[in-house]
Amino acid sequence: MTLVKDFLNYRVFTNQVESDVYIVTFDSWDPKHSHVVDGKYPDIPESTYITRRNMNHIGVQTKRNDWYLREGIDDVLKYIRSVVPSNGILITYGGSMGGTAAFFFAHKLGANFFIVTSPQASIEVAIMRNFSDTPWRLESEAFGELSSHYFPSDQDKIPGVVFVDATHDIDIKHACLVAKSSNVSLVYTHGGWHNSAVVVNRAYGIGQFIKEISECLLLRSSVSAVIGKVKKAIE
């Protein structure tokens, strides 16, 4: 992918093709799960897994573990808006911290759909104090007022899908909270722990799933059949 913007805390990469579909990915902090760099680890798709299916790819990468809350994120969103045409199909995608960003910024960007795997619903102190999730509670306290930047409970409910490992109790709490605040399909994987994307990729293919969702959106048809096929493949 080509680095097109290097902001204070974030980098934006693109790989463009002739298509009306734009996939915006948000990396988690773990570099093994990057969407913009070819993976060196099993089950991590190569960085062309979107464009070789004839979809434009805009990849957002944070320079540190900051939950996409620091200076420069508004510049990132402004750039994305300038690239995606008003009649284009926009899907956001990410996992863990990147999934949280994909969920929240889908609303900020007015996306057509979001796909998130093992996301945190929020790091806002008022929400996280109800979770027995020590790492994320400490993170929320560290970010203070910035943490309220997340959780679009008062915004339009953009449709999406959340994948979560059925054996990961804390992740399930987060996923259910996301589902409660959105028009979302909640899909349980069986394995993957905090990286449920691995199970989806093995059973069906993340790139193929995104492609089929985009085709439904282009045709303005229901995505339920595609989600149903993924559920069956996972089982």
Side-chain angles (χ1 to χ4, degrees):
M1 296 186 72
T2 302
L3 176 65
V4 292
K5 295 290 181 180
D6 194 349
F7 298 113
L8 180 61
N9 293 300
Y10 310 101
R11 300 183 184 94
V12 182
F13 299 79
T14 63
N15 203 347
Q16 298 190 10
V17 295
E18 291 293 327
S19 172
D20 293 326
V21 177
Y22 293 78
I23 312 302
V24 178
T25 60
F26 293 89
D27 276 8
S28 66
W29 179 238
D30 188 342
K32 296 195 301 293
H33 304 153
S34 174
H35 302 281
V36 300
V37 180
D38 285 347
K40 299 179 181 178
Y41 301 85
D43 302 299
I44 305 302
E46 72 281 9
S47 62
T48 59
Y49 75 104
I50 289 173
T51 49
R52 67 186 174 88
R53 291 179 171 85
N54 199 39
M55 300 179 288
N56 294 287
H57 185 184
I58 302 172
V60 185
Q61 186 182 66
T62 179
K63 297 180 181 179
R64 55 181 176 162
N65 188 21
D66 69 353
W67 291 85
Y68 294 95
L69 291 172
R70 298 296 186 185
E71 183 180 349
I73 192 61
D74 289 336
D75 294 321
V76 170
L77 300 181
K78 182 178 179 181
Y79 172 75
I80 294 171
R81 293 188 190 102
S82 74
V83 172
V84 180
S86 58
N87 62 340
I89 296 296
L90 175 59
I91 299 173
T92 59
Y93 168 56
S96 190
M97 180 178 74
T100 308
F103 162 60
F104 178 73
F105 292 122
H107 296 78
K108 286 284 188 179
L109 292 167
N112 300 89
F113 200 84
F114 65 85
I115 300 168
V116 299
T117 62
S118 307
Q120 284 74 46
S122 175
I123 58 168
E124 186 172 354
V125 175
I127 295 172
M128 293 307 300
R129 67 165 54 104
N130 297 318
F131 281 61
S132 56
D133 190 342
T134 303
W136 309 130
R137 178 175 56 80
L138 295 176
E139 295 244 351
S140 67
E141 292 171 355
F143 280 100
E145 293 182 0
L146 278 176
S147 63
S148 62
H149 186 54
Y150 277 138
F151 205 67
S153 57
D154 59 344
Q155 301 184 42
D156 293 336
K157 294 185 176 182
I158 289 175
V161 60
V162 179
F163 293 100
V164 63
D165 187 345
T167 65
H168 198 311
D169 292 342
I170 291 176
D171 273 11
I172 289 173
K173 289 182 180 180
H174 282 286
C176 288
L177 197 54
V178 170
K180 183 179 179 180
S181 68
S182 303
N183 179 21
V184 69
S185 297
L186 184 59
V187 179
Y188 291 99
T189 66
H190 304 281
W193 200 235
H194 189 56
N195 186 15
S196 53
V198 168
V199 177
V200 180
N201 201 47
R202 285 175 179 169
Y204 198 85
I206 285 288
Q208 185 61 29
F209 176 66
I210 295 172
K211 177 65 174 178
E212 292 181 15
I213 290 291
S214 73
E215 289 173 344
C216 291
L217 296 173
L218 282 168
L219 295 172
R220 298 188 178 183
S221 61
S222 173
V223 301
S224 58
V226 177
I227 295 173
K229 286 195 297 182
V230 174
K231 286 182 177 179
K232 186 175 181 178
I234 291 172
E235 292 171 356

